[in-house]
Amino acid sequence: MATATVDHAGAFDTAVAADERIEPRDWMPDAYRATLVRQIAQHAHSEIIGMQPEANWITRAPSLRRKAILMAKVQDEAGHGLYLYSAAETLGTSRDDLLDKLHTGRQKYSSIFNYPTLTWADVGAIGWLVDGAAITNQVPLCRCSYGPYARAMVRICKEESFHQRQGYESLLALSRGTPAQHDMAQDAVNRWWWPSLMMFGPPDDESAHSAQSMAWKIKRHSNDDLRQRFVDIAVPQAESLGLTLPDPDLVWNESRGHYDFGPIDWTEFQQVLKGNGPCNDQRITQRRTAHDEGAWVREAAAAHAAKHRSSTTPGEETA
Amino acid sequence: MTAPTTPPRTTTPGALALADDALILAQRLGEWAGHAPVLEEDVALANIALDLLGQARVLYSLLGDEDELAYLREERAFRNTQLVEQPNGDFAHTIARQLYFSTYQHLLHTQLATAELPEATTPAGTTALEIQALATKAAKETAYHREHAELWTLRLGDGTTESHDRMQRAVDTLWRHTGELFQDLEGIQLDLPTLESDWHSSISQILHRATLTVPDGPRSGAWTAGAGRQGIHTEPFGRMLAEMQHLHRSHPGASW
């Protein structure tokens, strides 16, 4: 038994070192499995909770074209949630169990979705900044060592970059629109910039899971590296949008070849993670309410399926 | 079969009526986003809403500017049926509304898609051809919407006692709004008697299979006072439009 475990571990390490994909039936360390379940579940939950701030504007979208784009985006998010729950299920957990953990606060979702969408421009700012940050985080996951997760990310990243371009384009229309629209866009960027930077997680020296995740090739870059990459991309985009970023310390650093930026308010980040952000209660309550109020529908579907099975194919249960 | 007891007072521009039906139901379905009983239904309801919104946009574009038509008309100028503006209620209520409407819409678009049309030598002829092109696409979409509603009607009707009761209540409640689906639409050639009898037999069949009772109340009457096709709507509709139009109206002339 012990010898076999050592062999398995050796094969696993070799496969990871050779950039091969680990598949559901392959042996993997328990901690690798647990880390992946945690990360994929959190990612799935973020897609599902992330529907709320945007869905908040579906009924109020200011043109039919924008309404259609937003509906399609929220639909894609539900679809991404489904892919990701499926990927997590290949690790031996179930969607029901994961949803239960979300509803009871035992698993988290991205802190960004605890901020409110107060104006229409927030929808554009989420597309540009929040999806932009998500893509920066997620593109390296397309090469993650766990096959089902990596493949889900390939599909998701394609759709996310489409959403991000649409968000940028929506903000551009506002920025170039009437003075009131321009102000609306600037205000949204002011409110979403810092929370977007927090999406990359705590600084490298305080990130509990980073080192192990990088060794397992679940993660490919550190939080701070990805955050820097995002800032470097976002600054020129803000300039071409004709909008400013709310950071007086933001300046090009010739010697580093990167933008320097001001300090992040990690106290706020910790508060939001602890459940004390502006919308934590609201988001989880809506999720739980949808689930609880839908219980009779799921029970009906199960009862119907059971009846239908036994009435049409009586021998099936013994087969 | 119960014939509508209130005949239509005037005909309504057909393309506008069909566009308003599609837009208003899309708006109602959009309210479900993030609230559905299972994720698959979040996807399905959004998908149906998107199809309907697409149909509305094509039809509005035949009549003028889509955003002007959607955002700058008031309640009395909308020509959608009262059925589609009904609040979502519980999931059974939403499904009953979908069942009644999708069955109607699928039969209607199938008729329009296969109708013989006059040559496109007049503006009216051109519009008819464009509506036919839309109907050909919409017939495929609405076949899916109809199947979705039928499957849920079966699951809920023939599921648990609770789901059965909820589904029965929903089909009963909405029944009174189904008569107005079969009013004349100006500029749209339809065989209304066939449409209505096909609709009725299809609905009866599916309700029977779902162990539900076909409602026996009237399908329109004095309470509809002419109904949505004449711009007479139910009270929740004004509030719904206020929400839909508020932002657009707050920035006159802006583009988005």
Side-chain angles (χ1 to χ4, degrees):
Chain A
M1 192 65 192
T3 317
T5 306
V6 169
D7 287 343
H8 281 311
F12 173 85
D13 290 342
T14 309
V16 169
D19 268 340
E20 282 167 23
R21 291 279 161 82
I22 306 300
E23 296 299 337
R25 289 176 187 192
D26 294 342
W27 184 91
M28 61 188 86
D30 290 344
Y32 176 85
R33 187 184 299 273
T35 295
L36 276 168
V37 168
R38 182 180 52 77
Q39 183 173 337
I40 300 173
Q42 176 166 333
H43 194 161
H45 300 332
S46 301
E47 296 283 354
I48 301 314
I49 297 286
M51 292 165 72
Q52 291 183 31
E54 295 178 284
N56 183 36
W57 282 92
I58 285 179
T59 57
R60 294 177 288 167
S63 72
L64 296 188
R65 178 170 162 261
R66 293 290 175 200
K67 190 190 287 287
I69 289 171
L70 184 56
M71 268 185 189
K73 181 177 180 191
V74 173
Q75 184 193 19
D76 282 348
E77 282 159 0
H80 295 172
L82 285 170
Y83 304 157
L84 288 163
Y85 286 124
S86 301
E89 284 180 332
T90 64
L91 291 159
T93 181
S94 74
R95 199 214 296 188
D96 286 347
D97 186 45
L98 297 177
L99 280 174
D100 188 55
K101 289 191 168 116
L102 169 65
H103 297 155
T104 53
R106 285 176 293 152
Q107 282 178 344
K108 295 193 184 307
Y109 55 88
S110 177
S111 61
I112 193 84
F113 300 119
N114 293 311
Y115 290 86
T117 47
L118 302 177
T119 72
W120 167 252
D122 290 33
V123 172
I126 288 180
W128 174 46
L129 292 173
V130 175
D131 293 348
I135 292 163
T136 308
N137 258 329
Q138 291 170 9
V139 164
L141 290 174
C142 297
R143 295 186 294 121
C144 153
S145 59
Y146 188 58
Y149 192 28
R151 288 188 288 275
M153 291 320 303
V154 171
R155 292 179 67 176
I156 290 173
C157 283
K158 277 184 199 156
E159 290 178 349
E160 293 287 5
S161 29
F162 186 57
H163 298 157
Q164 202 237 354
R165 276 201 300 279
Q166 287 170 328
Y168 178 90
E169 194 248 333
S170 172
L171 271 190
L172 188 64
L174 294 176
S175 177
R176 291 180 177 171
T178 65
Q181 286 177 302
H182 180 91
D183 290 351
M184 195 193 280
Q186 183 61 61
D187 170 62
V189 169
N190 291 348
R191 284 181 289 108
W192 288 92
W193 172 249
W194 291 108
S196 300
L197 293 192
M198 295 177 198
M199 285 175 71
F200 297 92
D204 292 348
D205 50 11
E206 291 167 31
S207 179
H209 305 289
S210 274
Q212 183 60 73
S213 288
M214 287 177 74
W216 278 329
K217 296 190 180 168
I218 295 172
K219 252 178 109 126
R220 296 280 180 159
H221 310 280
S222 79
N223 294 353
D224 286 334
D225 284 352
L226 290 169
R227 188 167 13 245
Q228 181 70 60
R229 186 178 296 189
F230 173 70
V231 171
D232 291 346
I233 293 168
V235 173
Q237 289 181 345
E239 279 164 15
S240 60
L241 278 169
L243 298 170
T244 59
L245 295 170
D247 180 358
D249 298 329
L250 193 61
V251 63
W252 177 251
N253 182 327
E254 191 64 51
S255 63
R256 290 204 307 128
H258 291 292
Y259 283 93
D260 289 339
F261 53 97
I264 290 171
D265 183 352
W266 293 113
T267 315
E268 174 177 320
F269 179 71
Q270 291 304 335
Q271 283 300 323
V272 176
L273 281 190
K274 276 184 199 153
N276 300 321
C279 298
N280 298 59
D281 276 352
Q282 181 189 327
R283 300 289 186 239
I284 279 295
T285 301
Q286 179 179 322
R287 214 13 263 168
R288 255 191 237 144
T289 305
H291 190 76
D292 293 348
E293 287 181 354
W296 68 272
V297 176
R298 296 189 299 276
E299 284 157 18
H304 180 79
K307 275 188 224 183
H308 195 66
R309 243 191 328 268
S310 55
S311 66
T312 54
T313 51
E316 197 180 80
E317 272 153 345
T318 54
Chain B
M1 189 186 311
T2 320
T5 54
T6 311
R9 286 157 197 199
T10 56
T11 56
T12 293
L16 186 63
L18 298 182
D20 287 350
D21 277 350
L23 172 67
I24 297 306
L25 187 53
Q27 178 77 6
R28 280 293 184 218
L29 292 175
E31 295 171 12
W32 269 106
H35 296 270
V38 283
L39 280 173
E40 285 81 352
E41 281 309 294
D42 270 310
V43 176
L45 296 174
N47 195 48
I48 294 169
L50 266 173
D51 286 345
L52 292 168
L53 188 53
Q55 293 166 13
R57 296 180 66 194
V58 171
L59 288 162
Y60 284 140
S61 72
L62 300 176
L63 301 161
D65 179 87
E66 59 176 24
D67 287 336
E68 257 178 60
L69 287 162
Y71 290 97
L72 299 176
R73 279 181 302 151
E74 297 196 22
E75 192 176 337
R76 293 281 284 106
F78 272 82
R79 291 290 179 264
N80 55 282
T81 63
Q82 291 184 351
L83 176 66
V84 295
E85 76 202 30
Q86 294 308 302
N88 288 336
D90 66 5
F91 190 69
H93 209 81
T94 289
I95 291 300
R97 190 183 61 199
Q98 270 327 107
L99 177 72
Y100 289 160
F101 186 74
S102 301
T103 305
Y104 157 78
Q105 219 194 4
H106 181 232
L107 293 168
L108 177 138
H109 283 305
T110 305
Q111 256 197 36
L112 291 178
T114 53
E116 283 193 33
L117 294 181
E119 292 293 310
T121 48
T122 62
T126 311
T127 305
L129 279 179
E130 283 171 312
I131 289 179
Q132 184 162 58
L134 167 79
T136 305
K137 180 165 181 276
K140 289 179 197 146
E141 293 168 349
T142 52
Y144 158 72
H145 304 171
R146 182 180 176 175
E147 191 187 346
H148 172 263
E150 289 181 350
L151 287 172
W152 272 113
T153 301
L154 292 173
R155 288 187 197 115
L156 298 181
D158 189 18
T160 62
T161 310
E162 181 183 8
S163 69
H164 175 91
D165 293 350
R166 283 181 187 253
M167 196 62 211
Q168 185 66 56
R169 198 153 56 234
V171 295
D172 289 347
T173 306
L174 292 169
W175 188 247
R176 56 162 52 191
H177 297 295
T178 57
E180 61 177 324
L181 295 171
F182 304 99
Q183 295 185 22
D184 269 328
L185 296 171
E186 184 193 306
I188 302 218
Q189 294 295 322
L190 285 167
D191 176 356
L192 284 172
T194 302
L195 190 64
E196 185 162 10
S197 76
D198 287 354
W199 181 88
H200 198 278
S201 66
S202 169
I203 295 292
S204 301
Q205 232 174 49
I206 200 79
L207 293 183
H208 281 307
R209 281 183 59 208
T211 73
L212 296 162
T213 309
V214 179
D216 60 2
R219 290 179 31 226
S220 60
W223 65 87
T224 53
R229 293 282 187 243
Q230 272 69 50
I232 303 290
H233 294 279
T234 54
E235 285 183 348
F237 186 56
R239 196 167 288 109
M240 177 192 187
L241 278 192
E243 180 174 335
M244 184 174 90
Q245 296 180 338
H246 165 262
L247 177 59
H248 185 95
R249 285 177 180 264
S250 300
H251 296 264
S255 44
W256 302 92

